[in-house]
Amino acid sequence: MSFDFCDKFVGPMPVQDFLYEFLPLPEPPAFRPQADFEFIEPSVSQNETKFIQAIHKSGTCPGLHFVNTTKILDTPSGYPYKPDISVYLNPPGANSCAQPPTGLEWGRIEFYIENKPKPYDPFMRIEQLQTNPQDVSCHVGFSAGAYKTCGQLIAYASAIHRSQFRVFSFSIAIFGDTGRFLRWDRSGVIYTQPFKLADGELFQFLWRFDHLSAVDRGHDTSVSPVDDDEAELALPKLKTYPTFEKVQRSHLHKMLVWDDRDRHEKPRCYITPSVKWATDALIGRATFGYIAYDVERGNLVYLKDYWRIDHPDVQREGDVYGELDEAHVPNIAKMSRACDVPQISGRGALQVQWPQVQRTRTQDYLSRPGGGYSWCPGHPRVEPYIHHRLVLETVGMPLNHFKSTRQLCEVIRDAIVAHTAAYNKTRILHRDVSAGNILITDKGTGMLIDWDLSKKVKEDGDQKPRRHSRTGTWQFISIARLLDPWSWPHEVSDDLESFFWVLLYEVVRYRNRKTPELKEIMQAVFDQHTQGTRSSVIRGGDGKLSCLDSRKLAFRRIRQFVATPCRDIIEDMRSLFHDLYLNVTSDEPQSMVEARQTSELDPKVKTALEKLQTSDALLAILDKHLQSEWDINDDGSLDLSEPHVNSSGSRSRRKRKAEDSLDGSEQNIHLTRTGRMPPRSSMSRSKDSFSSQTSSHHDDIFSMSSRMHTSSGGFSSNLRSMDDGSSAKQ
């Protein structure tokens, strides 16, 4: 288990409260067989095969199919996980020709059961939690075994949410003769008090679950399979998109997107194959990006599906795009529609329940001063999220598809112009400038996207952080924010610095032949971090400071990759930011307030600070060199593979956000949550593939296509903003 997850456990919830809140009794009342489980004997509870036989013998849940998967891998999914028992739906109808899985299929699992000996229960006893509740944020025991067990539970839940269209999911953890129920959503996980297997609670869970609708089992029923006519229309158009040439009927699924400007209007249908950009992170914004076919208009669009932070001071991304469009901000994508995904009633035809929307519930069960739930001691750090979809009419190419370093510089310049106009005209600060959020249009120009972490800066300059965390994509976050994300607000200069890191990253990452030595240098500069004690936060910046000092990725190294004035642009920008951090060191952690107060006495630092109040200095550098002679026009990217993310929890490939956060509480996107580690900068090619993702609709589970991508919010690497992958890329 990674540090960023340790404070996401909310509990221990009383078992009967859990059943009442999350597993409603069937209506009308259904026949309830008598429980007759043989779980008193450890020889049964600790033997998966006998355990399954006991459940089947009881007749408690005939609609569920249990499979012993302790030694079975779901090879097509690529996940190296093997839950002890995987639970599926039995095909409906006695005469059904369909067969339930006989092995492990993450795209069809309803819930899993993990079976451990009694000492492996990872959660602290309630007495321990209540000793000093004001100091408790993590409910997991202080041991390697506890962390390992939780890591397994998290990995299995993450695989389910990554392979299916889910709002939430359940699981059961058994420890000897006791068990716990768990409920997972994008906010965190609720776990129950331990219960005796022989006392009936397990029976109640299974019986109730067997009667739940797809909605109550946690499926997102606004996603469904496509019919043959829809597939026939969509496939020819989708195959015109690069890398989609081999897309098949079985890869398609259909998403409904409403419009918040008129919720009574009929939703529009979008058909898409596998996800184009995604994250494996379970907690946070969980952004997934799709190239989709608009059924009504017959064109391709970009569809972004993610969980937005539910905070009164956070503007919805659709509203941000609307404001930017009204202000005539150039070089941004044109939005078609955006909406919170509505709550849909349980069975039969879809019944939208406006104004209820799909939202997380974990945060609702915290104990709070003067109220809340006393059974949850301490201060778990969970945030509320709402499921949101946004459709952009402009579909672009990823930045790493630049045809020349000149085009790379021009595209980044266009993005800076968009950023500047947005701030000057609307006071909206982007706060997540990254390689993944700058696209190349079909005209070869640049476009700045993904405004979901943006923030409107108050005219009076009062920018108190909304949350105790940093926002952005780790590889491109400014040194100031990596060193000290809380005492100093996110400023224009932080975003301008991110543009520099984007340019440097693209040149070094995509204009080289991937030598092992360079891979290590890239990780030292862009992924460097320090991790303190269990309750501390992840910090970075030292690697980037060494780059500004030319100790790493110096000019002699850059000229190995590029022979055009692009290298002069890099050096001029490096010099500017070098002066900004002239007296800053990461040796002794200090707040940026202290660093600024000390550094402003230096005239070079003061000049750099003044220059970086606006984008004028960066644009002047770009314009100066873009007007010079560029006698090479074929020095484009050497690697057109998609940035690839993997978020198993440690450090991996793929893009990830620093935090799903808003800036402000001792924790976290797609960054912290206290102590989230950055991913490694990907130096290996990712593979085009259609992996498997499923949707549930009207109580049926259908195998659908995949989600593949790059924050942030487990820990992955590539370049998504602390969790997730999102953008209209090609």
Coordinates of all heavy atoms in Angstrom, one line a residue, residues 654-704:
R654 N 3.6 5.8 -17.3 CA 2.4 6.6 -17.5 C 2.4 7.9 -16.7 O 3.0 8.0 -15.7 CB 1.2 5.8 -17.0 CG 0.8 4.8 -18.1 CD -0.6 4.3 -17.7 NE -1.0 3.3 -18.7 CZ -2.0 2.7 -18.6 NH1 -2.8 2.8 -17.5 NH2 -2.4 1.8 -19.5
K655 N 1.5 8.7 -17.1 CA 1.4 10.0 -16.7 C 0.6 10.1 -15.5 O -0.4 9.5 -15.3 CB 0.7 10.7 -17.8 CG 0.7 12.1 -17.6 CD 0.1 12.6 -18.8 CE 0.2 14.0 -18.9 NZ -0.2 14.5 -20.0
R656 N 0.9 11.0 -14.5 CA 0.1 11.0 -13.4 C 0.1 12.4 -12.8 O 1.0 13.2 -12.9 CB 0.6 10.1 -12.4 CG 1.4 10.7 -11.4 CD 1.7 9.8 -10.3 NE 2.3 10.4 -9.2 CZ 1.9 11.4 -8.6 NH1 0.8 11.9 -8.9 NH2 2.5 11.9 -7.6
K657 N -1.0 12.7 -12.2 CA -1.2 14.0 -11.6 C -0.5 14.1 -10.3 O -0.4 13.1 -9.6 CB -2.6 14.3 -11.4 CG -3.4 14.4 -12.7 CD -3.4 15.7 -13.2 CE -4.3 15.9 -14.4 NZ -4.2 17.1 -15.1
A658 N -0.1 15.2 -9.9 CA 0.5 15.4 -8.6 C -0.5 15.2 -7.6 O -0.3 14.5 -6.6 CB 1.1 16.7 -8.4
E659 N -1.7 15.8 -7.7 CA -2.7 15.5 -6.7 C -4.0 15.9 -7.3 O -4.2 16.8 -8.0 CB -2.5 16.4 -5.5 CG -1.1 16.6 -5.3 CD -0.8 17.5 -4.1 OE1 -1.6 17.6 -3.2 OE2 0.2 18.0 -4.1
D660 N -5.0 15.2 -6.7 CA -6.3 15.5 -7.1 C -6.7 16.5 -6.1 O -7.6 16.3 -5.3 CB -7.2 14.3 -6.9 CG -7.7 13.8 -8.2 OD1 -7.7 14.5 -9.1 OD2 -8.2 12.7 -8.2
S661 N -6.1 17.6 -6.1 CA -6.4 18.4 -4.9 C -6.7 19.8 -5.3 O -6.6 20.2 -6.4 CB -5.2 18.4 -4.0 OG -4.4 19.4 -4.3
L662 N -7.0 20.6 -4.4 CA -7.3 22.0 -4.6 C -6.4 22.9 -4.0 O -6.7 24.1 -3.9 CB -8.7 22.2 -4.0 CG -9.7 21.3 -4.5 CD1 -11.0 21.7 -4.0 CD2 -9.7 21.3 -6.0
D663 N -5.4 22.5 -3.4 CA -4.4 23.4 -2.8 C -4.8 23.7 -1.4 O -5.3 24.7 -1.1 CB -4.5 24.7 -3.5 CG -3.4 24.8 -4.4 OD1 -3.0 23.8 -4.9 OD2 -2.9 25.9 -4.6
G664 N -4.6 23.1 -0.4 CA -4.8 23.6 0.9 C -5.1 22.7 2.0 O -5.3 23.1 3.0
S665 N -4.9 21.3 2.7 CA -5.1 20.6 4.0 C -3.9 19.7 4.1 O -3.3 19.6 3.2 CB -6.3 19.9 3.9 OG -6.4 18.7 4.2
E666 N -3.5 19.1 5.0 CA -2.2 18.5 5.0 C -2.2 17.3 4.1 O -1.8 16.3 4.5 CB -1.8 18.1 6.3 CG -0.4 17.6 6.3 CD 0.0 17.0 7.5 OE1 -0.6 17.4 8.5 OE2 0.8 16.1 7.5
Q667 N -2.6 17.4 3.0 CA -2.6 16.2 2.1 C -2.7 16.5 0.7 O -2.3 17.6 0.3 CB -3.7 15.4 2.4 CG -4.8 15.7 1.6 CD -5.9 14.7 1.5 OE1 -5.7 13.6 1.8 NE2 -6.9 15.1 1.0
N668 N -3.2 15.8 0.1 CA -3.2 16.0 -1.4 C -3.6 17.1 -2.0 O -4.4 17.4 -2.4 CB -3.5 14.8 -2.0 CG -4.2 14.6 -3.2 OD1 -3.7 14.0 -4.0 ND2 -5.3 14.8 -3.4
I669 N -3.0 15.0 -6.8 CA -3.9 14.8 -7.5 C -3.2 14.4 -7.7 O -2.2 14.7 -7.7 CB -3.8 15.1 -8.7 CG1 -3.8 13.8 -9.3 CG2 -3.9 15.3 -9.5 CD1 -3.6 13.8 -10.3
H670 N -4.5 13.1 -10.1 CA -4.6 12.6 -10.3 C -3.6 13.1 -9.7 O -3.6 13.1 -10.3 CB -4.4 11.9 -11.1 CG -4.7 11.0 -11.6 ND1 -4.8 10.5 -12.0 CD2 -5.0 10.3 -12.0 CE1 -5.1 9.7 -12.4 NE2 -5.2 9.5 -12.5
L671 N -1.8 15.1 -6.4 CA -0.7 14.8 -5.7 C -0.9 14.5 -4.3 O -1.8 13.9 -4.0 CB 0.1 16.0 -5.6 CG 1.4 15.6 -5.5 CD1 2.5 16.3 -5.4 CD2 1.9 15.3 -5.9
T672 N -0.6 14.9 -3.5 CA -0.5 14.1 -2.4 C -1.6 13.4 -2.0 O -2.0 13.0 -1.8 CB -0.2 14.8 -1.1 OG1 -1.1 14.6 -0.3 CG2 0.8 15.6 -1.1
R673 N -2.1 13.5 -1.3 CA -2.8 12.8 -0.3 C -1.7 12.5 0.5 O -0.8 11.9 0.1 CB -3.2 11.5 -0.9 CG -4.3 11.8 -1.8 CD -4.8 10.9 -2.5 NE -5.6 11.6 -3.3 CZ -6.0 11.3 -4.4 NH1 -5.6 10.4 -4.8 NH2 -6.8 12.0 -5.0
T674 N -1.3 12.9 1.4 CA 0.0 13.0 2.0 C 0.9 11.9 1.6 O 0.7 10.8 1.9 CB -0.1 12.9 3.5 OG1 -0.4 11.7 3.8 CG2 -0.9 13.9 4.1
G675 N 1.8 12.3 1.0 CA 2.9 11.4 0.7 C 2.8 10.6 -0.5 O 3.1 9.5 -0.6
R676 N 2.2 11.1 -1.6 CA 2.1 10.4 -2.8 C 3.4 10.5 -3.6 O 4.0 11.5 -3.7 CB 1.0 10.9 -3.6 CG 0.7 10.2 -4.8 CD -0.5 10.8 -5.4 NE -1.6 10.1 -5.0 CZ -2.7 10.0 -5.7 NH1 -2.8 10.5 -6.8 NH2 -3.7 9.4 -5.2
M677 N 3.8 9.4 -4.1 CA 5.1 9.4 -4.8 C 4.9 9.6 -6.3 O 3.9 9.1 -6.9 CB 5.8 8.0 -4.6 CG 6.3 7.8 -3.2 SD 6.8 6.1 -3.0 CE 8.0 6.0 -4.2
P678 N 5.8 10.3 -6.9 CA 5.7 10.5 -8.4 C 6.1 9.3 -9.1 O 6.8 8.5 -8.7 CB 6.7 11.6 -8.6 CG 7.7 11.4 -7.6 CD 7.0 10.9 -6.4
P679 N 5.5 9.2 -10.4 CA 5.9 8.1 -11.2 C 7.2 8.3 -11.9 O 7.6 9.4 -12.0 CB 4.7 8.1 -12.2 CG 4.4 9.5 -12.3 CD 4.6 10.1 -11.0
R680 N 7.7 7.3 -12.5 CA 8.9 7.5 -13.3 C 8.6 8.0 -14.7 O 7.6 7.6 -15.3 CB 9.6 6.1 -13.5 CG 10.2 5.6 -12.2 CD 10.8 4.2 -12.5 NE 11.2 3.6 -11.2 CZ 12.5 3.7 -10.8 NH1 13.3 4.5 -11.4 NH2 12.8 3.2 -9.6
S681 N 9.4 8.9 -15.2 CA 9.2 9.4 -16.6 C 9.4 8.2 -17.5 O 10.4 7.5 -17.5 CB 10.2 10.4 -16.9 OG 10.0 11.6 -16.1
S682 N 8.4 8.0 -18.4 CA 8.4 6.8 -19.2 C 9.4 7.0 -20.3 O 9.5 8.0 -21.0 CB 7.0 6.7 -19.9 OG 7.1 5.6 -20.8
M683 N 10.3 6.0 -20.4 CA 11.3 6.0 -21.5 C 11.1 4.8 -22.4 O 11.9 4.5 -23.3 CB 12.7 5.9 -20.9 CG 13.0 7.0 -20.0 SD 13.2 8.6 -21.0 CE 14.7 8.2 -21.9
S684 N 10.0 4.1 -22.2 CA 9.7 2.9 -23.0 C 8.5 3.1 -23.9 O 7.6 3.8 -23.5 CB 9.6 1.7 -22.2 OG 8.5 1.8 -21.3
R685 N 8.4 2.4 -25.0 CA 7.3 2.6 -25.9 C 6.1 1.9 -25.2 O 6.2 0.8 -24.7 CB 7.5 1.9 -27.2 CG 8.6 2.7 -28.0 CD 8.8 2.0 -29.3 NE 9.8 2.7 -30.1 CZ 9.5 3.6 -31.0 NH1 8.3 4.0 -31.2 NH2 10.4 4.2 -31.7
S686 N 4.9 2.5 -25.4 CA 3.7 1.8 -25.0 C 3.1 1.2 -26.2 O 3.4 1.5 -27.3 CB 2.7 2.8 -24.4 OG 2.4 3.8 -25.3
K687 N 2.2 0.2 -26.0 CA 1.7 -0.6 -27.1 C 0.2 -0.2 -27.3 O -0.5 -0.1 -26.4 CB 1.8 -2.1 -26.8 CG 3.3 -2.5 -26.6 CD 3.3 -4.0 -26.2 CE 4.8 -4.4 -26.0 NZ 4.9 -5.8 -25.6
D688 N -0.1 -0.1 -28.6 CA -1.5 0.1 -28.9 C -2.2 -1.2 -28.6 O -1.8 -2.3 -29.0 CB -1.7 0.4 -30.4 CG -1.3 1.9 -30.6 OD1 -1.6 2.7 -29.8 OD2 -0.7 2.1 -31.6
S689 N -3.3 -1.2 -27.9 CA -4.1 -2.4 -27.6 C -5.5 -2.0 -27.3 O -5.8 -0.9 -26.9 CB -3.4 -3.1 -26.5 OG -3.5 -2.4 -25.3
F690 N -6.3 -3.0 -27.4 CA -7.7 -2.8 -26.9 C -7.9 -3.8 -25.8 O -8.1 -5.0 -26.0 CB -8.7 -3.1 -28.1 CG -8.6 -2.1 -29.2 CD1 -8.0 -2.4 -30.3 CD2 -9.3 -0.9 -29.0 CE1 -7.9 -1.5 -31.3 CE2 -9.2 0.0 -30.0 CZ -8.6 -0.3 -31.2
S691 N -7.7 -3.3 -24.6 CA -7.9 -4.1 -23.4 C -9.4 -4.1 -23.1 O -10.2 -3.6 -23.7 CB -7.0 -3.7 -22.3 OG -7.1 -2.4 -22.1
S692 N -9.7 -4.7 -21.9 CA -11.1 -4.9 -21.7 C -11.7 -4.1 -20.6 O -11.1 -3.9 -19.6 CB -11.3 -6.4 -21.5 OG -12.1 -6.7 -20.6
Q693 N -12.8 -3.5 -20.9 CA -13.5 -2.7 -20.0 C -15.0 -3.1 -20.1 O -15.4 -3.5 -21.2 CB -13.3 -1.3 -20.4 CG -14.1 -0.3 -19.5 CD -13.8 1.1 -19.9 OE1 -13.2 1.3 -20.9 NE2 -14.2 2.0 -19.1
T694 N -15.7 -3.1 -19.1 CA -17.1 -3.5 -19.2 C -18.1 -2.5 -18.8 O -17.8 -1.6 -18.0 CB -17.4 -4.8 -18.4 OG1 -17.2 -4.5 -17.1 CG2 -16.4 -5.9 -18.8
S695 N -19.3 -2.6 -19.3 CA -20.4 -1.7 -18.8 C -21.5 -2.6 -18.3 O -21.7 -3.7 -18.8 CB -20.9 -0.8 -19.9 OG -21.4 -1.6 -21.0
S696 N -22.3 -2.1 -17.4 CA -23.4 -2.8 -17.0 C -24.7 -2.0 -17.3 O -24.7 -0.9 -17.0 CB -23.3 -3.0 -15.5 OG -24.5 -3.6 -15.0
H697 N -25.7 -2.7 -17.8 CA -26.9 -2.0 -18.2 C -28.1 -2.9 -18.0 O -28.1 -4.0 -18.5 CB -26.7 -1.6 -19.7 CG -27.7 -0.6 -20.2 ND1 -28.1 0.5 -19.5 CD2 -28.5 -0.7 -21.3 CE1 -29.0 1.1 -20.2 NE2 -29.3 0.5 -21.3
H698 N -29.0 -2.4 -17.3 CA -30.3 -3.1 -17.1 C -29.9 -4.5 -16.5 O -30.4 -5.5 -16.9 CB -31.0 -3.3 -18.4 CG -31.5 -2.0 -19.0 ND1 -32.2 -1.9 -20.1 CD2 -31.2 -0.8 -18.6 CE1 -32.4 -0.7 -20.4 NE2 -31.8 0.1 -19.5
D699 N -29.0 -4.5 -15.5 CA -28.7 -5.7 -14.8 C -27.8 -6.7 -15.6 O -27.6 -7.8 -15.1 CB -29.9 -6.4 -14.3 CG -30.6 -5.6 -13.2 OD1 -29.9 -4.7 -12.6 OD2 -31.7 -5.9 -12.8
D700 N -27.4 -6.4 -16.8 CA -26.5 -7.3 -17.5 C -25.1 -6.8 -17.6 O -24.9 -5.6 -17.7 CB -27.1 -7.5 -18.9 CG -28.4 -8.3 -18.9 OD1 -28.6 -9.2 -18.0 OD2 -29.3 -8.0 -19.7
I701 N -24.2 -7.7 -17.6 CA -22.8 -7.2 -17.7 C -22.3 -7.6 -19.1 O -22.5 -8.7 -19.6 CB -21.9 -8.0 -16.7 CG1 -22.4 -7.7 -15.3 CG2 -20.5 -7.5 -16.8 CD1 -22.4 -6.3 -14.9
F702 N -21.7 -6.6 -19.8 CA -21.3 -6.8 -21.1 C -19.8 -6.5 -21.2 O -19.3 -5.6 -20.6 CB -22.0 -5.9 -22.1 CG -23.5 -6.1 -22.1 CD1 -24.3 -5.5 -21.2 CD2 -24.1 -6.9 -23.0 CE1 -25.6 -5.6 -21.2 CE2 -25.4 -7.1 -23.0 CZ -26.2 -6.4 -22.1
S703 N -19.1 -7.4 -21.9 CA -17.7 -7.1 -22.1 C -17.5 -6.0 -23.1 O -18.1 -6.1 -24.2 CB -16.9 -8.3 -22.6 OG -16.8 -9.2 -21.6
M704 N -16.8 -5.0 -22.8 CA -16.6 -3.9 -23.7 C -15.1 -3.7 -24.0 O -14.3 -4.5 -23.7 CB -17.2 -2.6 -23.1 CG -18.5 -2.7 -22.6 SD -19.6 -3.4 -23.8 CE -20.4 -2.0 -24.3

